[in-house]
Amino acid sequence: MPRPATRRRGLVAALATVAVLSACTGNTDDRAESTPTPAVAATAAASTADTTLKSAVAALADTSPTGEAAREAVFTGPALESANAWAKTLPGKTPAQKADAQLSTSGAEVIGVSRVGDEPKQLLVETTLEKSQAAVLALLVGDEAGQEFKVAALTPMLTEARVDELDATSIGSEAIGSGEGLAITPEEASQSLADSLSYPEPEETTALVEDPFSAQLRQSAAAQAKAISASGTFTQSHEPKDVLGGLRLKDGSGAIVFTHLVRTDSIAMRQPTKLKPSKDLTLLTGIKQITSEASLESNQIVALVIPTAGAARVVAAWDQLVGGTGR
C-alpha cells in the first residue's frame, strides 16, 4: 500500500488502481417515510471490514504466482489495477519503503454504512498505516447479493484532513445519488480537480479548497519539466473517469465522494538522448531506457468532501503508476 500522498514524493511519482463501479444511485425520494435501516448490521459490518482489509493487506504483499488471484478476490475496479501495479513494483522497493507503506491489520473502524435500498451496498472504513498510524480510508462495496465486499478505494488521508461525521451505523447513511443538494456534483468536482492539476496550464478554480496533494503534484510536475527543459518538454494531464461511490454526511450537510482520475505524464525530447526511467516503470513495462519520448499512466483515486454550500476539499488520495510506453 503506498504511503500518504502528502508525505512522500514516491506516492506521487511512482504512483497510481476492471470493471469500474458507477456512482451510487440510491433514490430515497421514492421510499416511504420510515426509520432508516442500515444495509449491513453494525456487528456484521465490523466483521466484514476486518476480514476484507486483512485479506487486502496480504494480497498487496503477495508477489507469488497466486497473488493476482488473491487481489482479484478482494479488490475491484481501478483499485484492483492499482493493487496489481503496486505488487508488481514491490521487488524494487527498499525495506524502509515497504515498512512505511504497510497497512495495519487491526483497529479498523466502520464509520459509515449505506442504507437498505441503496445499491451497491457500501461500507466506509477508517484504518491506519502500521508504522506511522496515519489514517487511511477504505471504501468497500458489496456484490449484487450483498454477500461479498471488495475494496473499491484505499486512500491515505492527507495531513490534517478530516471527514465530517456521517449518520450512525445503526441507521446508515444515504447514498450520493445524482448529487442533488450538494454545492457541486461529484462529476463537477472531479473535473475541477483535473483542470486545476493540468501542466503547464492549470486552471484556477473556486470549487475546491487548495490541498497538499494538489500542491505536491504541481510542484512535482514543475520540477520534472525543469529537469529536462534543456533537451525536451514535459506535460501532465488528468482525465476524470468514474465516481466510485460515497455516502451523504450527517443531517444532509454534504457528502464524501470517491472518484477515479487517470494522470498521464508525457515527455518529448527534441533530440535523441538517454534517460533512465524509474524502477517502477521498468518493473511494470520492461522499459530500461528512454531516448525520444515516453508516456506514463497513473491511477488516481481521490476522496473529496463536498458540502451543500462552499468549496469541496480533497481529504485522501492514492496515486499509483500503472503503465506506460517509451522509446
Side-chain angles (χ1 to χ4, degrees):
M1 165 78 207
R3 298 174 295 283
T6 59
R7 300 173 111 190
R8 297 173 179 84
R9 186 175 179 274
L11 180 64
V12 174
L15 285 178
T17 346
V18 196
V20 178
L21 299 171
S22 59
C24 302
T25 55
N27 189 351
T28 57
D29 295 336
D30 292 339
R31 285 185 237 148
E33 291 291 332
S34 61
T35 301
T37 304
V40 183
T43 302
S47 176
T48 296
D50 182 67
T51 300
T52 303
L53 289 178
K54 283 181 178 177
S55 296
V57 171
L60 281 167
D62 191 348
T63 57
S64 74
T66 62
E68 190 167 340
R71 289 183 289 277
E72 188 171 345
V74 73
F75 289 92
T76 187
L80 173 59
E81 185 181 20
S82 288
N84 280 331
W86 170 258
K88 197 170 182 178
T89 62
L90 274 179
K93 300 190 184 301
T94 66
Q97 288 174 322
K98 294 176 183 179
D100 286 342
Q102 180 68 35
L103 275 171
S104 176
T105 56
S106 63
E109 178 186 3
V110 178
I111 60 174
V113 179
S114 61
R115 290 179 179 172
V116 168
D118 292 333
E119 298 297 339
K121 294 178 175 61
Q122 300 179 81
L123 302 179
L124 181 56
V125 184
E126 185 173 319
T127 185
T128 60
L129 294 174
E130 183 69 32
K131 183 177 179 180
S132 67
Q133 292 300 296
V136 177
L137 294 179
L139 177 68
L140 312 185
V141 298
D143 58 13
E144 292 184 1
Q147 300 302 312
E148 180 179 325
F149 280 79
K150 292 187 177 183
V151 178
L154 195 59
T155 52
M157 289 190 69
L158 309 188
T159 303
E160 299 182 359
R162 73 184 193 283
V163 176
D164 301 75
E165 189 176 0
L166 287 88
D167 284 314
T169 57
S170 59
I171 62 172
S173 299
E174 288 187 84
I176 301 164
S178 65
E180 182 179 358
L182 300 177
I184 54 175
T185 67
E187 291 79 8
E188 290 169 338
S190 187
Q191 187 64 62
S192 293
L193 179 62
D195 293 341
S196 72
L197 294 174
S198 178
Y199 185 87
E201 297 181 352
E203 294 185 15
E204 292 188 9
T205 179
T206 58
L208 298 170
V209 175
E210 179 64 14
D211 65 88
F213 171 70
S214 299
Q216 190 175 37
L217 278 173
R218 295 190 194 99
Q219 292 168 5
S220 176
Q224 292 180 72
K226 183 178 180 180
I228 65 167
S229 60
S231 54
T233 60
F234 174 87
T235 60
Q236 186 177 96
S237 64
H238 300 256
E239 181 183 0
K241 292 296 184 179
D242 292 88
V243 176
L244 303 175
L247 297 169
R248 298 268 179 168
L249 301 175
K250 186 176 181 180
D251 299 325
S253 59
I256 179 167
V257 176
F258 292 81
T259 185
H260 172 220
L261 301 89
V262 171
R263 182 184 109 215
T264 301
D265 296 346
S266 300
I267 297 171
M269 309 308 294
R270 286 186 284 272
Q271 57 187 7
T273 186
K274 293 182 179 180
L275 295 177
K276 185 177 181 180
S278 67
K279 287 183 180 179
D280 285 357
L281 183 63
T282 298
L283 287 167
L284 286 170
T285 66
I287 297 172
K288 298 180 180 179
Q289 182 173 278
I290 297 169
T291 58
S292 59
E293 62 183 18
S295 178
L296 284 64
E297 186 174 290
S298 301
N299 274 342
Q300 296 176 312
I301 299 179
V302 181
L304 304 100
V305 170
I306 306 176
T308 54
R313 67 182 192 275
V314 175
V315 295
W318 180 7
D319 183 326
Q320 172 68 51
L321 180 70
V322 294
T325 59
R327 59 179 183 177

